[in-house]
Amino acid sequence: TRVDNYFSGTVTGPGRVRVGEVELAAAIPDGAAGVVRLACYAHDVLLATREPSGLSARNVFRTRIVSMSASGGGVQVELEAPRLRALVTPDAVAALSLRPGDPVHAVVKATSIAYLGPI
């Protein structure tokens, strides 16, 4: 049920990477610059129907659900921007009434984003 997200972005400062229109906090090495490759597991991407607050996670951004499909015992949720996948339980889908086209807030801990090096 582990689905990887591979993506790239431009380093904007220490621990900061712009991926499309979203600036993310990420555990990148000191001195990293330019365009870099990143990854995170889909099961590390949380979804919320309302903007969460009071979290230690540094990355909370508004996006939209593009599609949903069964994946093992979970549901893979494809997000619009940045293009990431979240892996959630069927119970979470039902409790949040998630459907393609719905706006959601995605939450990703900075430490869940792995630095894979420069492009």
Side-chain angles (χ1 to χ4, degrees):
T1 61
R2 293 172 81 159
V3 180
D4 295 326
N5 287 298
Y6 294 98
F7 51 103
S8 60
T10 303
V11 176
T12 59
R16 306 294 298 176
V17 179
R18 178 162 293 285
V19 179
E21 298 299 314
V22 176
E23 188 167 305
L24 299 174
I28 60 174
D30 291 339
V35 180
V36 297
R37 189 104 168 112
L38 305 166
C40 72
Y41 288 116
H43 66 258
D44 284 337
V45 179
L46 306 178
L47 300 178
T49 55
R50 292 186 302 267
E51 185 173 12
S53 63
L55 301 174
S56 63
R58 301 294 83 200
N59 299 306
V60 177
F61 54 91
R62 189 171 169 87
T63 186
R64 186 170 302 280
I65 297 173
V66 174
S67 65
M68 300 168 59
S69 59
S71 179
V75 178
Q76 181 178 309
V77 179
E78 181 87 24
L79 302 176
E80 184 175 66
R83 273 300 238 223
L84 293 176
R85 290 170 288 197
L87 185 63
V88 299
T89 65
D91 287 345
V93 170
L96 298 173
S97 300
L98 299 177
R99 295 178 314 238
D102 284 353
V104 292
H105 288 84
V107 179
V108 185
K109 291 174 44 177
T111 55
S112 293
I113 300 174
Y115 172 78
L116 301 180
I119 290 184

